[in-house]
Amino acid sequence: MRIQGYGEFQQMRKASQKDDAQLKEAAERSEDVENSTSDAVTISPEARRKGKLRMASDFREAKVADVKARLEAGTLVTPESLASGTRKMLEGLVSGEL
């Protein structure tokens, strides 16, 4: 069985790396303006990654719930279910039941 979503995880990881580089640039710029009168908030790269992973886990939970529901309803098509159905159909043809 193939697990989907890995490509999305890789995309989030690449985006996180890009965010890390942008944060580093912003931190360097903010050092130059430390004496300014404006306030700034910096979110650490680790916090950004945790937030993205939390969103990914929500997606995974929804996907797992969907697959469980389809399995229970008998509507999920897997290679095993296709093989089983094909075998039963061929057995029925050979035995003359179909």
Side-chain angles (χ1 to χ4, degrees), residues 22-24 26-27 30 33 36-45 47-48:
Q22 291 173 345
L23 285 173
K24 185 176 180 181
S30 69
V33 290
S36 71
T37 58
S38 64
D39 292 332
V41 173
T42 303
I43 300 173
S44 72
R48 287 183 181 271

Side-chain angles (χ1 to χ4, degrees), residues 3-88:
I3 298 174
Q4 296 187 6
Y6 183 71
E8 295 169 5
F9 176 75
Q10 286 180 323
Q11 289 175 348
M12 288 190 304
R13 186 172 170 212
K14 287 178 184 178
S16 176
Q17 289 170 345
K18 185 187 277 187
D19 290 345
D20 291 348
Q22 291 173 345
L23 285 173
K24 185 176 180 181
E25 289 176 16
E28 290 170 356
R29 279 185 265 137
S30 69
E31 288 175 3
D32 295 337
V33 290
E34 275 185 5
N35 295 329
S36 71
T37 58
S38 64
D39 292 332
V41 173
T42 303
I43 300 173
S44 72
E46 182 179 351
R48 287 183 181 271
R49 279 190 293 275
K50 285 183 179 180
K52 289 178 182 177
L53 287 174
R54 185 173 296 121
M55 288 184 338
S57 70
D58 291 344
F59 169 77
R60 177 61 52 206
E61 289 172 8
K63 189 73 169 174
V64 168
D66 177 53
V67 170
K68 281 183 180 180
R70 290 171 54 197
L71 273 172
E72 291 171 358
T75 59
L76 181 68
V77 178
T78 64
E80 293 82 11
S81 67
L82 285 175
S84 174
T86 303
R87 186 173 39 259
K88 288 177 183 177

